[in-house]
Amino acid sequence: MNIEQIYTGCLAQGAYYITSNGEAAIIDPLRDTRPYTDRLEKDGVKLKYIFETHFHADFVSGHLDLSKKTNAAIVYGPTANPGFEAVIAEDHQIFEIGNIKIKVLHTPGHTMESSCFLLIDENGKGVALFSGDTLFLGDVGRPDLAQKAANKTQEELAGMLYESLYNKIITLPDDIIVYPAHGAGSACGKNMMKETADTLGNQKKTNYALNQPNKEAFIKEVTKGLLPPPPYFGMNVLMNKKGYDSFDEILKTGLKSLNITEFKEVVQQTGALILDTRDNTDFAKGFIPQAINIGLNGDFAPWVGALIADVQQPILLITDIDKQEETVTRLSRVGFDHVLGYLSGGFETWERSGEQSDTIQSITADQFSREFKIGKTTVIDVRKESEYAAEHIAESYSKPLAYINNWIGTIDPKEHFYLHCTGGYRSMIAASILKSRGFDNFTEISGGFNAILKTSVPKTNFVCLSKTSI
């Protein structure tokens, strides 16, 4: 028996590849199936089952393409109602893979169909729990994502999650290894550990949700402080539940090379969004007007989902050389299937042709420290509220990037302001969006708060409640 966790950092997502005696199972696969099919061929094993812990909201699973390529059955827990052929398991149903067994534990709460899968070895001992979004390390799945579909309040779903955890999971042996679907950085929870596997015994000791005195206390703690889910979540759920186009076809369309004339024609005809995935420092020096910068070397896919939001949005790409396939792949993982091609030769080709370009005014933290004046300098901090609360520039405004579409209308375009995040990745995203909406009177601080910390700019860990809007 072999268990392999295939962890994708950008999505903070864990898929699982399990083999035993010539047969295999895969749990919660990503959209691009080639890594799995290559591995199956290399290991000389047959994929028997594709287990889905629930209808995922934060990524599009690879279950459909993988099933078509391998003839493996797709398995969901009770109450699931997908728009394609699948096995809808009963609670406690057993599936055999080689010499091992996987037992379905229906654990509603995060969603109604949410299920965990208990792996039982050849000796009949439970050794691993693939807990999906029911149980994370340090946290549990948020109970607010399936409210409308389930016709229940988040409190009602949290109550169901309590029953699932306390009646079916906590009762399992302490030495079982917990393999969750997500880790720190995922929007599916609020308090996840950076580790990606742990013993159930340790979770019983350290996980706040598993240490509540009663159901009422559990509901209160689990629903406290939940931020609004990213807007693309609902669209991803529908794709996972109803079906989607083949990834191979999406890749073929997205990898269409366009010269400058063709590129401009597609923008004119389709209203495509120009997505520039280069490093933020390169983008600042020059970019195609109206382009949005979300760098590939960061939390690319989640930010695309949060800020572009509509998975039907046509997209044209500006990438570094040889990064087109990676970009299209990572976009497809969160359901953005309408990439119409990329500019051949990238921005350098555009620049050499003499086409109009734009830039972002950016300065170093040292220069900012020389220009900063208490009471006279306006600073916008686009980090998360929690980062701002921990420490921030005195008299700065908290304007998280995730909510830019809400707060951008409150900014006075005539008043100059400085813009920063932690290191520059998020502030350049914000800067590109501001530029595309006609804002020019601002300066981005290169290196962000990490660089500002090394200067004499006054900082405080006091959250000034009056500084929440401009």
Side-chain angles (χ1 to χ4, degrees), residues 248-307:
D248 293 337
E249 292 301 315
I250 299 304
L251 192 60
K252 182 179 178 181
T253 302
L255 292 183
K256 184 177 182 180
S257 177
L258 303 170
N259 61 35
I260 290 177
T261 300
E262 293 169 331
F263 188 90
K264 291 165 71 175
E265 287 176 351
V266 173
V267 171
Q268 183 70 27
Q269 294 168 3
T270 68
L273 181 147
I274 302 172
L275 180 60
D276 191 322
T277 67
R278 295 176 297 149
D279 182 81
N280 55 286
T281 56
D282 292 333
F283 180 86
K285 297 173 186 175
F287 57 92
I288 298 174
Q290 300 299 308
I292 302 301
N293 174 238
I294 304 180
L296 201 60
N297 295 324
D299 290 335
F300 173 71
W303 279 120
V304 168
L307 298 173

Side-chain angles (χ1 to χ4, degrees), residues 68-116:
K68 290 175 183 176
K69 292 179 178 180
T70 64
N71 293 317
I74 302 170
V75 180
Y76 283 94
T79 77
N81 185 28
F84 45 84
E85 184 177 349
V87 176
I88 308 305
E90 296 180 2
D91 193 19
H92 295 105
Q93 185 171 342
I94 299 290
F95 294 85
E96 296 185 358
I97 300 100
N99 298 327
I100 64 174
K101 297 179 175 66
I102 288 184
K103 182 178 182 179
V104 178
L105 300 177
H106 186 212
T107 51
H110 174 64
T111 66
M112 295 301 292
E113 78 286 349
S114 284
S115 297
C116 298

Side-chain angles (χ1 to χ4, degrees), residues 299-340:
D299 290 335
F300 173 71
W303 279 120
V304 168
L307 298 173
I308 299 178
D310 183 4
V311 298
Q312 301 297 324
Q313 169 66 51
I315 293 172
L316 285 171
L317 297 177
I318 305 295
T319 72
D320 288 324
I321 303 302
D322 298 329
K323 290 294 185 179
Q324 300 90 356
E325 182 170 348
E326 180 184 352
T327 303
V328 175
T329 298
R330 290 172 67 175
L331 285 169
S332 75
R333 289 174 180 169
V334 287
F336 287 82
D337 288 356
H338 297 277
V339 178
L340 305 180

